[in-house]
Amino acid sequence: MERLYLRIFQALPIRVVAGDDDLRLLNPEELRLVLRTERYAMAAAVLMELIAYLTIFLPIYSFPAFFEASVVHLGGPFVHATDGLPLLRNAWMLVVTVGELYLLLLVNLAAVHGIAVATGYIHRRREAARATELVRIAVESRFADQQRFGIDPFERMHPWVLFLYLAVNRLKGLIGGAIIRAVLVNLFGREILRVYLDFSGMPLYMLINVLTCRAILRNARVVIMGQTSVEMVCRQLPDLQLSQDERSLIYDTLQYIAVNKRDYHANHYHLSKAIIDRYGIPLEEAHRLPDDYLDKLKIARREVADICRLVIVLGFLLDGSVSWRERRQLERLNQAGILQLSYADLRAYGRAFVDGQGLDAMTQSLLNPAPVAMPAG
C-alpha cells in the first residue's frame, strides 16, 4: 500500500511558493501557508466525520427492516440469549468507516505535501528523494529505524505494561466511545432512544479526527524543520579525540533520550545517526542505559559533557513536545547541576523550533556559554 500512497503523493501538484532557501527557518509567508494548510485539513477532518455518520445512520433509520433483517444470535456465559448481531447493519458501518479512514488518509497526504511545499522542503527538483519519509508520516507508519543503532525507547518496560500502553494509544477512540455510551445509559436508563446512543460518539470522533490530523501535520512540520536543524547543529559540534568511555557516554545519552520519550521518532533517528557518525561510536545490538549514567555525566570532561547536554536538550525538543516525564527529568538534571535550564526556557526553545525559528540560540547557549564578566581594575 505504501507504494500506492507514494504514487498519489508524487502526483499532487507543486505550486511555486514565495519563500527562501533556508530550510531551518520559516519566513512569515511560509509560516502563514503552513498554518492555513493545517486549518483546512482539520476542517476537512471534522466535515468527513459528520458526513460519515450521516452516511451510516440515515440509511439505517430509513430502511430499518433491511438493515436489521439478518441477525446472528450469540450465546455464552457473558452474552444474553436474546442478544443478536445485525450483520447487514454492521457490514454497512464497517464499509463506510473504512472509506472514511482512507479519505482522511488522503487529506493527510495532501496536507503533508502542502506543508512540505510551503516550507521549501520539496520542490520539482528533489521531490522523490524526500517523498517516502513524508508519506510514512502521513499514514502514521512507525519509524523504528533507531533499532538499527541498538536504541530501545521501551527499555525496562514490562511486556504487559508495554502492550497495554500501545493498545490504549491505538484504541483511544473505541474506548472513549464505549465510555460515553455507558455514561448515557447509566444517566438516562436503557430506554434512551437509540439515535442518541448512535450519535453520541460523533463529537468524540470529530475531536479525535481533529487532534489526529493536527498531530500528523505538526509532526510533518517538526520533521521537516528537524532534519536540517540536526545537520546545522552537528556542524557546530567540536572535533574531539574521544576515548572509548567518552564515546560510550554519548551513546548512553542517546539511549537516555529514547527512554524518556518512550517512542520512536524520525528526528531522533536522524540525531542518533548524525552523532554516531560524527564521533565514530561503535554500534551494539542493544545498548542499555547504565544506572550510574548521571554520575558519569557529572564527572565527564567539560567538552564531552557539553555535547551530552546539547544532545539531551535536542532530544527533548526534536519531536515537538515536552512530556511530564521530561519535565521531571529536567528538574532532576537541574538539581544535579548537569543543566541550568528552566522549563519556561525549554518551552520557549520548543515553540521557536516548531514555528520555524531554528535552534541556533539554544545551541549557542549550550556549546558556547557566555563568559563571566570580570570586574574592572
Side-chain angles (χ1 to χ4, degrees):
M1 292 297 290
E2 188 172 299
R3 187 174 299 176
L4 173 62
Y5 300 146
L6 185 60
R7 288 184 178 180
I8 294 172
F9 188 89
Q10 292 175 326
L12 294 171
I14 297 179
R15 297 180 301 167
V16 177
V17 178
D20 52 45
D21 294 329
D22 192 345
L23 293 179
R24 296 175 299 139
L25 306 175
L26 296 182
N27 63 36
E29 177 63 16
E30 290 170 335
L31 183 58
R32 185 184 67 82
L33 288 174
V34 168
L35 295 177
R36 187 177 69 182
T37 301
E38 292 178 358
R39 287 195 296 269
Y40 284 170
M42 289 188 286
V46 171
L47 182 61
M48 275 194 285
E49 187 62 36
L50 174 62
I51 293 173
Y53 260 82
L54 294 177
T55 303
I56 287 173
F57 291 111
L58 285 182
I60 289 175
Y61 294 144
S62 300
F63 308 100
F66 174 76
F67 284 99
E68 307 292 342
S70 179
V71 177
V72 174
H73 291 281
L74 306 175
F78 303 106
V79 182
H80 295 290
T82 56
D83 290 345
L85 183 67
L87 291 181
L88 289 176
R89 171 189 167 94
N90 284 278
W92 174 245
M93 293 175 69
L94 177 64
V95 168
V96 175
T97 300
V98 170
E100 181 202 2
L101 292 176
Y102 274 103
L103 288 175
L104 283 171
L105 188 148
L106 293 178
V107 168
N108 290 337
L109 280 173
V112 169
H113 186 274
I115 290 173
V117 172
T119 58
Y121 187 70
I122 60 172
H123 48 67
R124 290 184 180 90
R125 288 174 297 170
R126 62 180 182 198
E127 180 180 16
R130 290 171 166 172
T132 301
E133 185 170 15
L134 293 172
V135 168
R136 293 174 67 183
I137 294 171
V139 302
E140 295 186 277
S141 177
R142 288 184 62 77
F143 199 97
D145 291 17
Q146 273 176 292
Q147 290 177 319
R148 56 184 281 209
F149 303 129
I151 294 174
D152 178 14
F154 304 115
E155 178 190 331
R156 302 180 186 177
M157 283 188 76
H158 191 280
W160 277 106
V161 174
L162 175 59
F163 171 79
L164 292 174
Y165 175 80
L166 296 176
V168 169
N169 251 357
R170 296 293 179 183
L171 300 176
K172 283 181 286 191
L174 292 176
I175 294 170
I179 291 173
I180 288 178
R181 293 173 71 92
V183 169
L184 289 175
V185 169
N186 285 326
L187 286 176
F188 301 105
R190 293 191 175 277
E191 293 77 17
I192 186 173
L193 291 175
R194 195 181 77 183
V195 63
Y196 294 135
L197 284 177
D198 286 337
F199 281 87
S200 64
M202 184 169 66
L204 176 68
Y205 280 100
M206 282 182 172
L207 178 62
I208 289 174
N209 278 2
V210 168
L211 294 179
T212 301
C213 180
R214 180 178 180 273
I216 289 172
L217 300 185
R218 193 172 187 272
N219 189 42
R221 196 195 326 176
V222 164
V223 169
I224 289 169
M225 305 306 301
Q227 289 189 32
T228 50
S229 294
V230 166
E231 292 174 8
M232 295 303 298
V233 167
C234 286
R235 291 176 191 173
Q236 301 178 56
L237 292 175
D239 292 321
L240 298 176
Q241 294 297 323
L242 301 179
S243 68
Q244 182 56 42
D245 287 342
E246 289 172 334
R247 290 191 179 93
S248 182
L249 181 64
I250 295 175
Y251 207 167
D252 293 342
T253 305
L254 296 173
Q255 178 63 17
Y256 173 80
I257 287 300
V259 168
N260 277 283
K261 283 296 181 182
R262 290 298 190 202
D263 201 1
Y264 294 103
H265 193 272
N267 282 347
H268 290 146
Y269 163 77
H270 292 295
L271 175 63
S272 300
K273 184 178 186 302
I275 295 295
I276 288 170
D277 290 348
R278 177 66 182 268
Y279 291 112
I281 299 173
L283 297 181
E284 301 173 13
E285 185 175 347
H287 185 79
R288 300 299 179 186
L289 182 66
D291 293 331
D292 60 347
Y293 163 68
L294 294 183
D295 294 329
K296 290 180 178 179
L297 182 54
K298 281 194 283 189
I299 62 174
R301 181 161 49 124
R302 184 184 64 82
E303 293 84 358
V304 176
D306 286 345
I307 294 170
C308 293
R309 282 190 285 264
L310 177 62
V311 169
I312 289 172
V313 178
L314 279 173
F316 284 166
L317 296 177
L318 279 176
D319 69 343
S321 64
V322 180
S323 67
W324 63 267
R325 185 186 300 106
E326 291 160 300
R327 183 172 183 176
R328 189 174 62 185
Q329 287 298 319
L330 179 64
E331 294 173 356
R332 184 182 176 190
L333 292 169
N334 281 319
Q335 290 170 1
I338 294 171
L339 280 176
Q340 293 181 343
L341 180 66
S342 69
Y343 177 66
D345 287 341
L346 183 67
R347 289 286 303 275
Y349 287 139
R351 284 192 298 269
F353 167 61
V354 173
D355 288 340
Q357 303 309 305
L359 292 168
D360 289 346
M362 183 273 296
T363 304
Q364 291 298 320
S365 69
L366 290 172
L367 286 183
N368 303 296
V372 178
M374 300 299 292

